Amino acid sequence: MRRIRLTLDYIGTSYAGWQIQPGKDTIEGRVEQALFRLTGEEIKVVASGRTDAGVHALEQVAHFDTGTDFDLRAYTNGINVFLPPDIRVTDARVVPDTFHARFDAKRKTYEYRFYVSKVDRAVLYNRAHRLQSMPDLTALNEAAALFVGEHDFAAFMSSGSDVKTTVRTVYSALFAAQSESEFTFEVSANGFLYNMVRKMVGALIKISENKLTSADISRALADPASTNLPYVAPACGLYLKRVEYEN
Amino acid sequence: MRRIRLTLDYIGTSYAGWQIQPGKDTIEGRVEQALFRLTGEEIKVVASGRTDAGVHALEQVAHFDTGTDFDLRAYTNGINVFLPPDIRVTDARVVPDTFHARFDAKRKTYEYRFYVSKVDRAVLYNRAHRLQSMPDLTALNEAAALFVGEHDFAAFMSSGSDVKTTVRTVYSALFAAQSESEFTFEVSANGFLYNMVRKMVGALIKISENKLTSADISRALADPASTNLPYVAPACGLYLKRVEYEN
């Protein structure tokens, strides 16, 4: 047996998220099906984390064990033959049996893509979230900076997940303009709670609409037990951008 | 009657190009169908030019005549209700009866998108053309500069179109890096022949692969009658980016 580490990208629009669920079309399900066709083995694939329905990945990392000893290209080009074009394996390498895509992830980065337009745009359909007007990115960056550091993010977690601690360390949280009508929010942390990025973005959008203030974010971080911010930004703008491991 | 000028964007992947053809799903067909549902009129829509099957538009311009006098938003949001999400009308305005989306276009700009990767990427599927390695953009820009100016582009036209002259003026032709693995080629001209951008890009790709030289482009421009460059870059990387009119 050997352990293979995969890098994948995908457009999540057509899928019920990463995690396999009965009767649902999932990315994990597609990858495991493709691996079965390639290897004849029933293989469980472990990702760095689940992504929700409609969320995309520029770079997801996953691992699996196999008794096959194909040339490594079989686990990229070979798997891709059995995958739909909106899911691609871009890299495969052999890793020690001790490598674990989820437990060993030291830092994850998400990108949230926005565009500004009075009407929907076809070329960004399901690829970015539309706002009516360009917000003040300097003001938003001041609010986003409140997330940086070690905080209890319980107010930025949707229920339905079972975690030991809701404390996470955010390394950076930054808005950046891409063009006159497009911008991104990029956030890196040692880990994210369920819906944490979408709730952070949801709160920041409300700030841009003057429906929340920076003080509401400060309060939610200082006193998470008594606050829950209900604003969840749409899945279509969210991309898992990078997962980093030691060495 | 009044004449309306529309701005549209679309992802061309699912369509047999702009121009209506019997039994084919076309962008023009979809827009005229949507206008019929909105107005009850059988309306012919005239675009700045056809785009081929699989080619996208960030900004296509078209016009039509209608006896309806709806609020202008009806011709954006209203049409969009009857259009699939990969075709969107982003702007509508009343123009003089003399305005013609094709004949009055003074300058058109196309963008061709590339990415560099050993394997296909899901997030760029049908949105950009993949190259195996990053070409020397400085060298490509030197070759692209040969296109700038007034030339007979007959060697860069696919057969099947009937034009009075194959002389066009190219205003600019430039490669630009977007990131470590993505770059674009942008070309502006007073007009383009059938497949002209894709044949220009096809020749430039061959130069990047050392299968053609700048001298071949010079020769094709100087002596178009005796040359035809057969390389046509894939449609999926091509975007109609801008159409400009006087005032």
Side-chain angles (χ1 to χ4, degrees):
Chain A
M1 294 292 278
R2 53 183 191 164
R3 184 159 288 189
I4 308 284
R5 171 192 152 146
L6 298 181
T7 308
L8 308 100
D9 76 336
Y10 46 82
I11 289 294
T13 307
S14 308
Y15 303 98
W18 169 269
Q19 194 180 31
I20 221 161
Q21 299 162 67
K24 298 265 178 99
D25 193 2
T26 64
I27 297 149
E28 182 189 348
R30 292 291 189 136
V31 174
E32 292 177 359
Q33 207 171 45
L35 276 171
F36 178 75
R37 294 184 66 182
L38 181 76
T39 64
E41 298 171 346
E42 291 202 15
I43 289 174
K44 171 73 183 172
V45 178
V46 178
S48 72
R50 315 165 189 178
T51 51
D52 271 346
V55 174
H56 318 298
L58 299 167
E59 197 183 296
Q60 170 69 287
V61 175
H63 79 260
F64 65 92
D65 295 320
T66 177
T68 59
D69 62 349
F70 302 145
D71 181 286
L72 275 177
R73 274 173 300 181
Y75 307 107
T76 54
N77 299 336
I79 298 177
N80 284 341
V81 169
F82 301 114
L83 282 173
D86 53 6
I87 306 173
R88 294 284 97 178
V89 178
T90 54
D91 186 63
R93 55 189 68 182
V94 179
V95 285
D97 288 356
T98 51
F99 174 82
H100 195 284
R102 183 157 94 245
F103 300 146
D104 292 356
K106 292 293 175 232
R107 181 186 173 118
K108 281 171 144 185
T109 301
Y110 279 93
E111 178 175 292
Y112 197 95
R113 297 186 182 173
F114 297 90
Y115 71 106
V116 177
S117 174
K118 295 290 178 205
V119 289
D120 289 336
R121 297 205 58 204
V123 294
L124 295 170
Y125 177 64
N126 275 333
R127 305 284 179 122
H129 175 53
R130 178 166 70 86
L131 295 184
Q132 293 277 342
S133 59
M134 183 57 101
D136 179 347
L137 297 189
T138 309
L140 280 184
N141 270 328
E142 278 171 31
L146 297 170
F147 290 123
V148 177
E150 188 183 81
H151 300 287
D152 182 346
F153 285 94
F156 296 90
M157 175 177 71
S158 291
S159 58
S161 64
D162 182 25
V163 286
K164 276 183 220 135
T165 167
T166 50
V167 174
R168 295 289 183 276
T169 301
V170 169
Y171 302 119
S172 64
L174 259 181
F175 286 86
Q178 310 298 305
S179 72
E180 272 176 33
S181 60
E182 292 176 54
F183 64 99
T184 57
F185 172 66
E186 189 179 294
V187 57
S188 291
N190 62 350
F192 291 90
L193 303 168
Y194 180 52
N195 263 353
M196 180 170 149
V197 182
R198 288 169 63 187
K199 287 198 132 193
M200 292 167 81
V201 172
L204 291 163
I205 292 172
K206 291 292 165 190
I207 288 179
S208 79
E209 295 168 346
N210 297 313
K211 288 171 186 163
L212 280 183
T213 67
S214 293
D216 294 306
I217 288 183
S218 300
R219 203 172 309 119
L221 292 171
D223 186 11
S226 66
T227 334
N228 194 299
L229 293 170
Y231 313 110
V232 181
C236 69
L238 187 59
Y239 296 73
L240 174 57
K241 188 175 188 180
R242 204 161 41 240
V243 188
E244 290 164 86
Y245 296 88
E246 216 119 89
N247 71 57
Chain B
M1 295 290 278
R2 53 182 192 165
R3 183 158 290 189
I4 307 284
R5 171 193 152 144
L6 298 180
T7 308
L8 308 100
D9 76 335
Y10 46 82
I11 289 294
T13 308
S14 307
Y15 304 99
W18 170 269
Q19 193 180 33
I20 220 161
Q21 299 162 68
K24 296 263 176 103
D25 193 2
T26 64
I27 297 149
E28 181 188 348
R30 291 290 189 138
V31 174
E32 292 177 0
Q33 206 172 49
L35 276 170
F36 178 75
R37 294 185 67 180
L38 181 76
T39 65
E41 299 171 346
E42 292 202 13
I43 289 175
K44 170 74 184 170
V45 178
V46 178
S48 71
R50 316 165 188 178
T51 50
D52 272 347
V55 174
H56 320 297
L58 298 167
E59 196 180 296
Q60 169 71 286
V61 175
H63 79 260
F64 65 92
D65 295 322
T66 177
T68 58
D69 62 348
F70 302 143
D71 181 284
L72 276 177
R73 272 173 301 179
Y75 307 107
T76 54
N77 298 336
I79 299 179
N80 284 342
V81 169
F82 301 114
L83 283 173
D86 52 6
I87 305 175
R88 294 285 97 179
V89 177
T90 55
D91 186 63
R93 52 189 70 180
V94 179
V95 286
D97 289 357
T98 51
F99 174 83
H100 195 284
R102 184 158 92 244
F103 301 147
D104 293 356
K106 292 292 175 234
R107 182 187 172 116
K108 281 173 145 182
T109 302
Y110 279 92
E111 179 175 294
Y112 198 94
R113 296 186 182 173
F114 296 90
Y115 71 106
V116 177
S117 173
K118 295 289 177 204
V119 289
D120 289 338
R121 298 206 57 203
V123 293
L124 295 169
Y125 178 63
N126 275 333
R127 306 281 179 123
H129 175 53
R130 177 167 70 87
L131 296 184
Q132 292 277 341
S133 58
M134 183 57 100
D136 178 346
L137 296 190
T138 309
L140 280 183
N141 270 330
E142 279 172 31
L146 298 170
F147 290 122
V148 177
E150 188 182 81
H151 300 286
D152 183 345
F153 285 94
F156 296 90
M157 176 177 70
S158 291
S159 58
S161 64
D162 183 25
V163 286
K164 279 185 214 133
T165 166
T166 49
V167 173
R168 294 290 182 276
T169 301
V170 169
Y171 302 119
S172 64
L174 259 182
F175 286 86
Q178 310 299 306
S179 71
E180 272 176 34
S181 60
E182 291 178 53
F183 65 99
T184 57
F185 172 66
E186 188 179 293
V187 57
S188 291
N190 61 350
F192 290 92
L193 304 167
Y194 179 52
N195 263 353
M196 181 169 149
V197 183
R198 289 169 63 188
K199 287 197 131 193
M200 291 166 82
V201 172
L204 291 163
I205 292 172
K206 290 293 167 189
I207 288 178
S208 80
E209 296 169 344
N210 297 314
K211 288 170 186 164
L212 280 182
T213 67
S214 293
D216 295 306
I217 289 183
S218 300
R219 203 173 306 121
L221 292 171
D223 185 11
S226 67
T227 334
N228 194 298
L229 293 172
Y231 314 108
V232 182
C236 68
L238 187 60
Y239 295 74
L240 174 58
K241 187 175 188 179
R242 204 162 39 240
V243 188
E244 290 165 87
Y245 297 88
E246 216 120 89
N247 70 58

